[in-house]
Amino acid sequence: MRYARSIAAFCCVFCLLFAGCQQQTWQKGQQVELDLYCLTTKGMGEDSWQLTTDTQWVEQAEAPEDFVKGILTKMKQIQERDKEPAIPPGVMVTEVVFYGNSVIVNLSPEFNELEPVQRSLAAAAIAKTLDQLDGIDFVKVSCATENYEIDSDFYLDADSLVLDESAIQFNAFDVTLYLLDRHSGYAEPIVRTIKTEEKELTLEMVFAELAHPEEGSLLQSPVPQGMEVPSIAENDGICVLDFAQMTEEQAGQMDALAIRAIVDTMCSQEGIRGVLLRVAGRPLSYYGINGYDGVLS
């Protein structure tokens, strides 16, 4: 009796470990036809992406983990016309682990370096591909790095996948920003491209971009560090920037050069002919910054 119970317990554990993707006719070397999810831009602009499929035969391996790794390798090797892998070449599969009807796919640190939409599309492609296998109901796509954060993980099942085959459309807008060169004492114009799902470029987007420093450059943002993104309104061509607050240190950074750069940036946007600067509804002179209370152009 004790022997029978041991055999039964072993079988239960075995089934839990291998139910993930073991099918009723599990055999090493057997070919399985799967829809491998990938990306396409067919019929859309270069900044538009949607998930599509590439049907291939994948050979089963003896271990479920090896079978899944083989599937993910196939996904990375897709080279059809108008299609490309959802998992970029630099991202490696480091580990596949089964827990009952769940599978964890651990990816290399390069996954965390992708743009958020790239990570989302890659995770969705992995989940939608593996969801076709019998016994897999839940997929976790994870990337453990030194700077690991829990929100880097994707926990996905057939019901939680919000990404479908519909297009993710990004519009690109080139904007001119004026950044500070403190050594020369000038505000230098640079051009950046803002990509957004919105159909129109907003003044909020432009100012948020202006607040970011230029990476790898000595040029500085004219927006004092730590100053909150203001309330922005447009009235008859006048852009009203109303900052939430201003500390004494921030007020010291709002010199003539910084103000000129902010004004030139906002006035370079279509339809804007002047800028009115306010802090919590008060003019700049309230903070000891004189000469800039009116509309600046």
Side-chain angles (χ1 to χ4, degrees), residues 1-9:
M1 181 64 70
R2 180 182 300 175
Y3 177 79
R5 283 199 296 266
S6 298
I7 292 295

Side-chain angles (χ1 to χ4, degrees), residues 170-276:
F170 283 93
N171 296 309
F173 301 93
D174 290 335
V175 296
T176 298
L177 309 176
Y178 286 82
L179 301 181
L180 308 183
D181 185 341
R182 290 294 186 184
H183 296 289
S184 67
Y186 290 98
E188 299 289 343
I190 67 163
V191 177
R192 285 189 192 162
T193 300
I194 298 178
K195 292 185 178 181
T196 175
E197 294 181 61
E198 303 297 329
K199 295 181 179 179
E200 297 180 355
L201 183 68
T202 66
L203 296 176
E204 287 82 1
M205 294 178 194
V206 174
F207 190 87
E209 193 68 28
L210 179 65
H212 289 141
E214 181 79 353
E215 295 185 6
S217 172
L218 296 178
L219 297 177
Q220 302 175 13
S221 168
V223 182
Q225 186 175 8
M227 181 174 285
E228 297 181 13
V229 174
S231 167
I232 303 179
E234 186 272 331
N235 183 16
D236 192 26
I238 304 301
C239 173
V240 181
L241 298 181
D242 196 345
F243 294 88
Q245 60 182 0
M246 180 181 289
T247 65
E248 183 176 345
E249 181 181 357
Q250 290 168 340
Q253 298 176 41
M254 287 287 283
D255 57 12
L257 184 60
I259 292 174
R260 176 63 181 270
I262 293 174
V263 172
D264 284 350
T265 296
M266 304 314 293
C267 284
S268 68
Q269 308 311 308
E270 184 177 359
I272 300 300
R273 58 184 178 84
V275 176
L276 189 62

Side-chain angles (χ1 to χ4, degrees), residues 44 49-51 121 162-169:
M44 300 174 295
W49 294 97
Q50 70 175 6
L51 289 178
L121 286 169
V162 295
L163 288 173
D164 56 19
E165 286 79 46
S166 60
I168 297 179
Q169 175 71 49

Side-chain angles (χ1 to χ4, degrees), residues 93-107:
V93 179
T94 60
E95 187 180 28
V96 174
V97 182
F98 278 91
Y99 292 98
N101 64 344
S102 302
V103 61
I104 299 176
V105 177
N106 287 318
L107 302 176

